[in-house]
Amino acid sequence: MRLATIRTATGHRAVRIDTGSATETGDADLRALLEHPDWAERAAAAAGPSHPLETLDYAPLVPAPEKIICVGQNYRDHVLEMGNELPDYPTVFAKYPPALVGAHDDIVLPKVSDKVDWEAELTVVIGGPVRHADAAAAEAAIAGYTVMNDVSVRDFQNRTKQFLQGKTFEHSTPLGPHLVTPDELPAGGLAIGTTLDGETVQSSSTDQLVFGPVELIVYLSQIVTLNPGDVIATGTPGGVGHACKPPRYLTDGTVVVTSVAGVGELRNTCRAEKR
């Protein structure tokens, strides 16, 4: 099953993605849907208003998650390209909801920086409360997967050892378009990548992950209770602009396509923040 949050004339709506159309579930957004313990059955049985797929205006998949947890230095190829050693524990930081934009919305390049980078990420959405999970409970807590571009303002990020200030600029982070339930995906690694104006800059596989989704949920649930609609971005592979020689960054007008095979594709145009 595939689910999404769309914008309509009367506000956000959670929808089930069907062949050629999207059917409203009766919930305000995906988080509201996932807060029902029987969310999967509710979504499968939904028979609300229908919208043609080609007309959908995607909101951020989860417009206002309780938590957006991001993991850095979690792909072997990216760790090595940045000159680091593989970590013993996940490197964890956060974003705030105002950073999020929809799958086809503009990425706002902040006026205070010209060092804005791209980061394709397989992203987990939590489907039920989980605390102190073992592997089985962690796997059961996964509602599904989506795509995030963890757009990073590198000069702000590197001002200190803490990443957050470079990671949560407003209107910078596309999330979506769909939540894809685990049964839709094949076993093994998924191709993940980014193009800029048609040029491939990231091309890897999720089998490069140091800590996989289940391991991350086990680890994070020791720290906090993970709740329905929480978002966990699992890290980016090699090919980021900051590691290029010379470094390369996003510019006004660049079209960025971020994809994970079988999960989805983000297509966003970069726009300079108005001064």
Side-chain angles (χ1 to χ4, degrees):
M1 186 160 49
R2 290 175 181 257
L3 305 168
T5 300
I6 63 170
R7 302 180 180 107
T8 74
T10 55
H12 289 158
R13 295 290 183 270
V15 294
R16 184 188 67 233
I17 303 298
D18 301 318
T19 302
S21 65
T23 302
E24 293 187 21
T25 68
D27 302 283
D29 56 34
L30 183 64
R31 177 179 172 182
L33 171 61
L34 294 176
E35 286 174 343
H36 296 281
D38 62 344
W39 64 264
E41 293 81 4
R42 180 182 176 90
S50 182
H51 306 266
L53 291 184
E54 62 272 15
T55 69
L56 298 183
D57 180 9
Y58 289 106
L61 180 67
V62 187
E66 180 182 279
K67 293 183 282 294
I68 306 168
I69 302 173
C70 303
V71 182
Q73 303 182 49
N74 197 32
Y75 274 76
R76 293 173 181 85
D77 51 3
H78 179 50
V79 171
L80 296 176
E81 78 173 354
M82 299 298 280
N84 297 317
E85 296 182 358
L86 295 181
D88 294 324
Y89 302 100
T91 298
V92 178
F93 57 94
K95 286 183 182 277
Y96 301 125
L100 299 178
V101 298
H104 302 145
D105 293 344
D106 290 345
I107 293 170
V108 175
L109 303 178
K111 61 185 178 182
V112 296
S113 177
D114 59 1
K115 294 179 173 59
V116 184
D117 205 349
W118 56 87
E119 294 193 4
E121 307 216 5
L122 175 70
T123 299
V124 179
V125 180
I126 297 296
V130 61
R131 176 74 162 152
H132 296 301
D134 60 14
E139 187 170 11
I142 298 173
Y145 297 92
T146 191
V147 186
M148 177 187 283
N149 188 344
D150 179 22
V151 172
S152 301
V153 181
R154 296 299 191 189
D155 48 351
F156 275 73
Q157 177 185 341
N158 292 323
R159 285 180 173 182
T160 72
K161 293 181 179 180
Q162 301 298 322
F163 290 177
L164 184 142
Q165 61 190 316
K167 294 288 192 172
T168 194
F169 276 74
E170 292 184 5
H171 312 300
S172 65
T173 304
L175 179 69
H178 303 149
L179 178 141
V180 180
T181 53
D183 60 295
E184 291 255 341
L185 298 175
L190 304 173
I192 181 171
T194 300
T195 67
L196 305 183
D197 294 329
E199 175 192 355
T200 298
V201 290
Q202 286 187 289
S203 180
S204 188
S205 170
T206 59
D207 62 11
Q208 287 281 313
L209 282 165
V210 179
F211 305 104
V214 168
E215 292 172 283
L216 290 174
I217 293 170
V218 169
Y219 183 78
L220 294 169
S221 71
Q222 296 176 52
I223 304 167
V224 293
T225 299
L226 299 173
N227 285 316
D230 283 352
V231 171
I232 303 170
T234 63
T236 199
V240 299
H242 194 64
C244 293
K245 300 189 185 320
R248 180 178 178 184
Y249 302 107
L250 298 172
T251 57
D252 185 53
T254 299
V255 177
V256 186
V257 178
T258 310
S259 62
V260 178
V263 179
E265 176 183 283
L266 306 168
R267 180 178 293 269
N268 308 92
T269 301
C270 297
R271 296 297 183 196
E273 184 178 17
K274 293 181 180 179
R275 297 181 183 269

